[in-house]
Amino acid sequence: MIFTNGLKIIDRLVNVKSHQDHSRVKLLRPELRNRLVQDYQSKKKRLILLDYDGTLVPFVPKPSKARPDDELVDILKFLNAQENTRVVLISGRDKETLATWMHDIDIDLIAEHGAWIKEQGGDWNTLEPHAQDWKDEVRQILESYVDRTPGAFIEEKTFSLVWHYRRSSIGLGEVRARELAETLGYFTLNMNLQILEGSKVIEIKSAGINKGRAAMHFLEKDEWDFVMAIGDDWTDEDTFKALPEHAYSIKVGFGTTVARHNVKSYNEVRTILRQLRERDADKANH
């Protein structure tokens, strides 16, 4: 009886927590989405900041399979071609992958969570130099967890290392990820490094790199009267925090966020972008 009562109490606490999370959610309902689209159409200088994985495309077991589909390419290409509209892709992906996937679109790119910036028609540049001498020691730790976690693998970027466990069994992957995060936390305690826990990944990078700093590079380029940023995980919170007061900030998924609005999935992000494209197309035809 005591055990049963304990379970009931736990269930109530979980339900209260779930209610609290949903009470903080500000869903971007159709009427508000239409207002956003109308606002977009009426403004003269527009900046759109978009995360990639989990925001424009779904997560997949093998990261290399998340290439943009034809519809997404068409939408980004169309929006980017509109007068006084700038589209910036802000991703944790490495710069080589982004450059390959987006070579036909020529939008502004931010890679590796803000480590690299490539403006339209330009070359890749960093905002500041970042150390890489920590990689060998950290890689040894990651390799030990790869050996103990079937399906896990390491991805190396210019200024970061990533431990992926999306292809591992759910229970074991989560346990090992928690152990690894704790191990890295102790190991990097006096190092200028940051540990990012994303969707089935743990990434270690230089602490001075974040999406918000990179977003500011574009926010400061003009007096934008329409700004919209969309992202799905906590690395995108730095982008949301950097936005001006009048900006539309949208988180994909639920939970605590500084974003003003939430949508349920990448499908709703596609719906927003389709509407922006349709309004631009209608405007051009009149």
Side-chain angles (χ1 to χ4, degrees), residues 123-140:
D123 296 322
W124 288 103
N125 292 290
T126 58
L127 293 177
E128 61 183 67
H130 299 285
Q132 302 179 60
D133 54 359
W134 53 270
K135 278 186 173 181
D136 288 341
E137 291 181 280
V138 171
R139 188 185 293 105
Q140 292 178 25

Side-chain angles (χ1 to χ4, degrees), residues 60-71:
V60 294
K62 194 172 182 179
S64 61
K65 299 296 184 182
R67 296 180 68 93
D69 54 82
D70 290 342
E71 182 198 46

